[in-house]
């Protein structure tokens, strides 16, 4: 039985990856390592918590001794590393937290894998999950390819870029078998409502203002999270060693257009008069260093591994909105407590 370590599996994308691996691969023993920060929530994976091939481990990837002991205890065959501090606005407030988890935490995992695999890399794989934000900002034209030079602008993207470089360096220097993916903006169920789509759905439900940064003319490329999990499964099993793959939705939206679409769908779902939710739109102070546009060229993963998004944006958004409307208790639970302090500080 293969032992697979997934980090950050109580978070948004990680929970979808853990669910997919536990259900699809009963022959794997899946270990989900998560520190359960504000973004981690065991409710996100409640449906698989009693599966025989699943073990939850609470722990911090920044704790070097703990990570080394974990790798001594279990001879992992593969690591899928998703644990991270992931929100750009929080990185502007507290950059060091991002260096600790995203850089030092990744280093601890790389060292532990290298040391426990002792140069016998047969059948081993370290998969680092990263972001398109490492490429910086596009102008009106062009797409990020795997060859686009790194040019991170936020403390978050700088910390992710740094961790990507270390992963590559461990591949080059020590021969560590790695794969790396850089993905665009995800959306879907279990998305923490500090990020644009779940935040705005939650605010519309609660008749709260919709804080659009700057003029709203910023562009993101949106991918349904379950399609990201499918891509991660594919790259983990079929990706070539020491290769990077870009993953994206072929789905660019200006923030303001996306927000207006959300408002229209939500008015229908909540049986409110047309235009009700749009009245909640409020233009607020811009995010410092705000990247203008992200857009991924995902032709490499498409050509080499046959991956493409399986749902359209309309389908994905419909599923997502329905999920939030049917899971308002989840929303209420994650927005009580420290979320209120964060919200007050960020948007007051
Ligand atoms: P998330 O913030 O929802 O979840 C992160 C998880 O990591 C949480 O469960 C948290 O408890 C855990 N974690 C944080 N610090 C930890 C630590 N020190 N030790 C152990 N666990 C810790 O993040 P997400 O949006 O699911 O992103 C997952 C990964 O995918 C990240 O590496 C992120 O950079 C990358 N990514 C995200 C997106 C996106 O749109 N959300 C897109 C591309 C790439
Ligand atoms: O591109 C991949 C990245 O996507 C991931 O690596 C990050 O982990 C993830 O958080 C996401 O980063 P963004 O900064 O693009 O996502 P966010 O949801 O924070 O913002 C999306 C856009 O919406 C961005 O242009 C900022 C804007 N925005 C966001 C918030 C929270 C607003 O206008 N108002 C808001 O309140």
């Amino acid at each position: 039985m293969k032992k697979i370590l997934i980090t950050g599996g109580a978070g948004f994308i990680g929970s979808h990856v853990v669910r997919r691996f536990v259900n699809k691969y009963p022959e794997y023993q899946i270990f989900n390592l998560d520190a359960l920060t504000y973004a981690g929530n065991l409710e996100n994976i409640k449906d698989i918590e009693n599966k025989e091939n699943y073990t939850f481990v609470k722990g911090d990837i920044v704790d070097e001794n703990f990570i080394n002991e974990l790798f001594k205890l279990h001879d992992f065959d593969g690591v899928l590393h998703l644990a991270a501090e992931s929100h750009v606005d929080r990185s502007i407030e507290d950059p060091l937290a991002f260096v600790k988890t995203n850089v030092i935490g990744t280093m601890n995992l790389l060292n532990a894998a290298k040391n426990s695999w002792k140069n016998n890399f047969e059948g081993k794989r370290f998969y680092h999950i990263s972001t398109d934000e490492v490429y910086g900002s596009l102008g009106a034209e062009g797409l990020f390819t795997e060859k686009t030079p790194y040019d991170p602008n936020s403390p978050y993207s700088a910390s992710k870029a740094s961790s990507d470089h270390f992963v590559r360096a461990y591949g080059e220097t020590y021969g560590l078998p790695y794969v790396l993916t850089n993905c665009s903006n995800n959306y879907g169920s279990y998305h923490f409502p500090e990020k644009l789509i779940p935040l705005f759905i939650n605010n519309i439900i609660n008749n709260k203002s919709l804080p659009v940064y700057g003029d709203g003319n910023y562009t993101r490329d949106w991918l349904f999270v379950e399609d990201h999990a499918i891509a991660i499964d594919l790259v983990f099993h079929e990706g070539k060693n020491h290769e990077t793959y870009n993953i994206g939705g072929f789905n660019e939206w200006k923030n303001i257009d996306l927000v207006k679409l959300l408002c229209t769908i939500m008015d229908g779902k909540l049986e409110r008069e047309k235009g009700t939710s749009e009245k909640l739109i409020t233009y607020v102070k811009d995010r410092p260093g705000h990247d203008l546009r992200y857009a991924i060229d995902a032709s490499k993963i498409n050509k080499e591994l046959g991956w493409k998004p399986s749902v359209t944006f309309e389908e994905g958004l419909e599923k997502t909105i329905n999920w939030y409307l049917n899971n308002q208790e989840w929303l209420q639970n994650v927005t009580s407590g420290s979320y209120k302090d964060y919200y007050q500080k960020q948007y007051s």
Side-chain angles (χ1 to χ4, degrees), residues 224-241:
F224 189 50
V225 64
E226 292 175 36
D227 276 328
H228 190 189
I230 293 172
I232 287 175
D233 182 354
L234 201 60
V235 171
F236 182 68
H237 290 99
E238 292 177 31
K240 280 197 215 123
N241 260 340

Side-chain angles (χ1 to χ4, degrees), residues 46 65 74 90 132 163 199 270 314 328 330 335 344:
K46 208 163 175 40
N65 289 335
H74 304 286
R90 288 186 193 255
D132 61 356
S163 65
L199 174 71
L270 296 170
E314 288 68 27
Q328 292 193 43
W330 181 92
T335 52
Q344 177 67 19

Side-chain angles (χ1 to χ4, degrees), residues 151-190:
D151 190 19
N153 291 315
S154 73
Y156 163 67
S157 52
S159 69
K160 291 296 289 186
S162 170
S163 65
D164 292 9
H165 288 319
F166 275 111
V167 172
R168 282 210 185 84
Y170 272 58
E172 291 303 314
T173 308
Y174 307 110
L176 190 89
Y178 77 86
V179 277
L180 202 161
T181 50
N182 298 91
C183 188
S184 65
N185 287 61
N186 285 214
Y187 69 97
S189 53
Y190 302 109

Side-chain angles (χ1 to χ4, degrees), residues 20-299:
R20 183 173 177 87
F21 273 63
V22 166
N23 288 330
K24 193 173 165 201
Y25 301 108
E27 71 276 25
Y28 292 176
Q29 186 63 39
I30 304 295
F31 292 82
N32 172 11
L33 167 63
D34 199 296
L36 299 181
T37 67
Y38 79 93
N41 183 352
L42 291 177
E43 288 292 313
N44 297 2
I45 31 166
K46 208 163 175 40
D47 52 318
I48 48 121
E49 70 184 1
N50 293 322
K51 296 268 182 173
E52 267 185 29
N53 64 337
Y54 173 72
T55 308
F56 177 71
V57 183
K58 185 172 186 298
D60 188 341
I61 59 170
V62 181
D63 183 343
E64 186 183 357
N65 289 335
F66 167 76
I67 293 296
N68 289 339
E69 287 307 313
L70 186 70
F71 275 75
K72 274 188 207 147
L73 198 61
H74 304 286
D75 185 18
F76 294 118
D77 298 288
V79 177
L80 288 94
H81 176 35
L82 294 102
E85 287 292 341
S86 69
H87 192 38
V88 174
D89 294 328
R90 288 186 193 255
S91 82
I92 295 165
E93 284 306 307
D94 184 8
L96 200 54
F98 284 67
V99 174
K100 286 181 185 158
T101 287
N102 299 358
V103 186
I104 310 286
T106 302
M107 285 294 295
N108 287 338
L109 290 165
L110 286 168
N111 277 329
K114 172 173 91 64
N115 295 336
S116 89
W117 294 341
K118 296 190 184 76
N119 291 326
N120 182 4
F121 295 135
E122 188 61 36
K124 307 291 190 191
R125 172 154 275 190
F126 191 101
Y127 181 177
H128 182 60
I129 282 84
S130 192
T131 169
D132 61 356
E133 299 201 10
V134 297
Y135 297 124
S137 184
L138 290 164
E141 299 289 317
L143 300 170
F144 294 134
T145 74
E146 288 80 1
K147 300 222 174 332
T148 303
Y150 276 29
D151 190 19
N153 291 315
S154 73
Y156 163 67
S157 52
S159 69
K160 291 296 289 186
S162 170
S163 65
D164 292 9
H165 288 319
F166 275 111
V167 172
R168 282 210 185 84
Y170 272 58
E172 291 303 314
T173 308
Y174 307 110
L176 190 89
Y178 77 86
V179 277
L180 202 161
T181 50
N182 298 91
C183 188
S184 65
N185 287 61
N186 285 214
Y187 69 97
S189 53
Y190 302 109
H191 202 183
F192 193 77
E194 63 186 350
K195 310 281 167 62
L196 182 76
I197 290 183
L199 174 71
F200 280 31
I201 293 174
N202 187 39
N203 283 12
I204 292 172
I205 293 172
N206 293 300
N207 267 311
K208 283 174 73 175
S209 72
L210 305 176
V212 172
Y213 293 160
D215 60 7
N217 284 319
Y218 293 88
T219 300
R220 297 293 181 265
D221 171 0
W222 293 95
L223 175 67
F224 189 50
V225 64
E226 292 175 36
D227 276 328
H228 190 189
I230 293 172
I232 287 175
D233 182 354
L234 201 60
V235 171
F236 182 68
H237 290 99
E238 292 177 31
K240 280 197 215 123
N241 260 340
H242 293 200
E243 288 280 333
T244 289
Y245 299 88
N246 280 356
I247 305 172
F250 303 96
N251 179 40
E252 288 184 50
W253 282 82
K254 274 198 173 148
N255 291 343
I256 190 62
D257 296 336
L258 171 54
V259 170
K260 286 183 178 170
L261 174 67
L262 267 181
C263 288
T264 305
I265 302 174
M266 291 296 287
D267 281 348
K269 298 271 177 199
L270 296 170
E271 297 179 2
R272 290 177 182 168
E273 199 184 316
K274 259 189 185 170
T276 307
S277 301
E278 261 196 52
K279 289 196 191 120
L280 298 170
I281 292 176
T282 314
Y283 292 92
V284 299
K285 191 164 69 89
D286 211 347
R287 174 185 278 175
H290 199 167
D291 287 332
L292 179 67
R293 179 172 160 255
Y294 305 145
I296 282 277
D297 176 352
S299 55

